[in-house]
Amino acid sequence: MTRHIGIVGCSAEGAALCYRTICEEGAHALGAYEHPEVTLHTPPLARYVACLNGGDLAGVAELMLASAHRLAAAGADFLICPDNTIHQAFELMAPSSPLPWLHIADVVASEAAARGYRRVGLTGTRWLVDSAVYPDRLAARGIDCVRPGEDERSEINRIIMEELVPGVVKPGSVARFQAIIAGLREQGCDAVILGCTEIPLIIGDANSPLPTLDSTRLLARAALRRALDA
């Protein structure tokens, strides 16, 4: 028996990568074509974007909670959300959730601590990088969090929302991310968090100036471990 994983989706590319990772790595653990049961629910991304643009975290929480109830009705045992940005509303949503969750930033911070990192850079949407989602959880483990500069945050956000979310990959954007990560290395960072679930589409350990903490795959693997520990 394995536990049923519920995925609260936000953007298609991030949710798809998380789902695919669970299925592919589940087969490695359980045998050919095997993986835990997985159910995914996602409303139109536009609804989340409208709430984020309006600073309406209560609205974000309501969308997350609506997905949580649908997934509970489908038989999920626990929930994950492969979207870092909307975790800003996690504390508003969690007390009313019908099921327990794995928090993406807790998973990433635990991995950073396990690898011995002491100072990590953060990349992601402007909404995420401006928030306390990662700094608070990293600080609890004695790890410093370094944010890119203002112009760099805006450029990262543009690349994510205008290119990566629709599934567009441009070589120039890869080079821009590499330059930003190199700047974080110059500020003493020993790793970088890929804090948007689409960033792994263009950046990973093979082409990053710093070791990466891939939030999408780390969350998928943590969910797989939880599902297998039944």
Side-chain angles (χ1 to χ4, degrees), residues 5 10 14 16 25 37 42 46-47 68 76 98 114 120 130 136 152 204 225:
I5 303 169
C10 183
E25 299 195 9
E37 188 170 358
T42 177
R47 297 179 189 173
V120 301
D130 286 350
D136 286 353
E152 293 169 325
R225 290 192 297 272

Side-chain angles (χ1 to χ4, degrees), residues 178 203-210 212:
Q178 290 171 321
I203 291 291
D205 285 339
N207 68 346
S208 171
L210 284 171
T212 64

Side-chain angles (χ1 to χ4, degrees), residues 9-142:
C10 183
S11 67
E13 292 289 342
L17 178 56
C18 184
Y19 170 77
R20 188 167 64 248
T21 301
I22 290 170
C23 294
E24 290 176 352
E25 299 195 9
H28 295 158
L30 297 171
Y33 314 120
E34 285 285 353
H35 59 75
E37 188 170 358
V38 183
T39 301
L40 165 66
H41 179 264
T42 177
L45 176 59
R47 297 179 189 173
Y48 276 115
V49 172
C51 290
L52 291 166
N53 282 335
D56 181 12
L57 291 183
V60 172
E62 289 176 5
L63 289 168
M64 295 174 75
L65 193 58
S67 287
H69 281 291
R70 287 179 179 267
L71 293 167
D77 294 306
F78 69 95
L79 304 173
I80 59 172
C81 176
D83 187 279
N84 292 270
T85 295
I86 65 174
H87 276 74
Q88 293 175 80
F90 190 89
E91 281 73 21
L92 295 175
M93 174 279 303
S96 300
S97 176
L99 294 172
W101 293 65
L102 297 180
H103 191 296
I104 194 169
D106 283 333
V107 169
V108 174
S110 293
E111 181 70 13
R115 295 187 194 178
Y117 298 139
R118 307 305 302 167
R119 184 175 173 85
V120 301
L122 177 62
T123 59
T125 66
R126 185 62 185 258
W127 299 301
L128 175 80
V129 177
D130 286 350
S131 78
V133 170
Y134 273 98
D136 286 353
R137 283 166 173 79
L138 291 167
R141 293 165 174 82

Side-chain angles (χ1 to χ4, degrees), residues 109 112-113 115-122 138-139 141-148 181 183-193 210-213:
R115 295 187 194 178
Y117 298 139
R118 307 305 302 167
R119 184 175 173 85
V120 301
L122 177 62
L138 291 167
R141 293 165 174 82
I143 302 171
D144 292 334
C145 181
V146 179
R147 298 176 170 99
I181 294 170
L184 292 169
R185 181 183 59 191
E186 292 172 2
Q187 295 180 62
C189 293
D190 46 17
V192 61
I193 295 171
L210 284 171
T212 64
L213 291 158

